[in-house]
Amino acid sequence: MFNLFKKKDFTVSAAADGELLPLTEVKDEVFSTKMLGDGFAIKPTDGKIYAPIAGKITTVFPTKHAIGITAKNNLEILVHLGIDTVELKGEPFNVFVQEGDSVKQGAPLAEMDTAAITGENYDDTVIIVYTNMDIIDSVSPISPGKVEHGQEIQTIKFKS
């Protein structure tokens, strides 16, 4: 029988311009071992960060280094700006959204001062993680290389 409520495949786009990397190459075990969930990373060429999906902003960390978005299909995504950048106490970040806002895919989320981050010896890699893997059946492999924000990166298949 055809299920009218079956969730369709879902595409996640690049949150920044830069070099696309597999999550396993991120220099932080919490992300590289997929402890928080699957996803991908981008070594940014500039500090502009965009929404990888349409949805509602569910979290903006007080230190501005991470933003949570939940899509209508209940997929939860964490957009994490840099590694260990929580220690910078929000200084190099300018966030344009707040909890409760609705955003379209590709909408500006934040800007980060990549020179300030790397100048303090932190890694400025942007990490996209799916934090509720229990609803996901599979994620497509990524093709490392140059990407532009808004470019389709990964397809998610949901459990039926």
Side-chain angles (χ1 to χ4, degrees), residues 51 66 82 131 150:
T131 57

Side-chain angles (χ1 to χ4, degrees), residues 16-75:
D17 297 342
E19 193 72 22
L20 181 64
L21 306 166
L23 202 56
T24 52
E25 287 185 23
V26 171
K27 294 177 176 89
D28 182 314
E29 277 191 16
V30 170
F31 296 110
S32 65
T33 61
K34 302 181 183 180
M35 228 180 277
L36 291 178
D38 209 335
F40 57 90
I42 298 170
K43 185 72 175 161
T45 51
D46 66 27
K48 295 181 172 96
I49 309 301
Y50 304 88
I53 62 168
K56 182 171 253 185
I57 303 296
T58 48
T59 311
V60 175
F61 283 69
T63 48
K64 304 177 192 172
H65 77 288
I67 300 167
I69 307 171
T70 302
K72 284 185 179 171
N73 58 17
N74 293 323
L75 177 68

Side-chain angles (χ1 to χ4, degrees), residues 47-121:
K48 295 181 172 96
I49 309 301
Y50 304 88
I53 62 168
K56 182 171 253 185
I57 303 296
T58 48
T59 311
V60 175
F61 283 69
T63 48
K64 304 177 192 172
H65 77 288
I67 300 167
I69 307 171
T70 302
K72 284 185 179 171
N73 58 17
N74 293 323
L75 177 68
E76 297 169 359
I77 287 188
L78 180 67
V79 180
H80 197 278
L81 310 178
I83 297 171
D84 295 330
T85 51
V86 64
E87 296 171 22
L88 296 173
K89 298 178 177 39
E91 285 302 313
F93 306 107
N94 185 13
V95 177
F96 309 130
V97 293
Q98 56 190 358
E99 287 180 24
D101 286 356
S102 290
V103 293
K104 292 183 176 172
Q105 194 167 22
L109 289 181
E111 206 162 5
M112 60 184 203
D113 185 339
T114 56
I117 292 167
T118 57
E120 292 284 332
N121 294 316

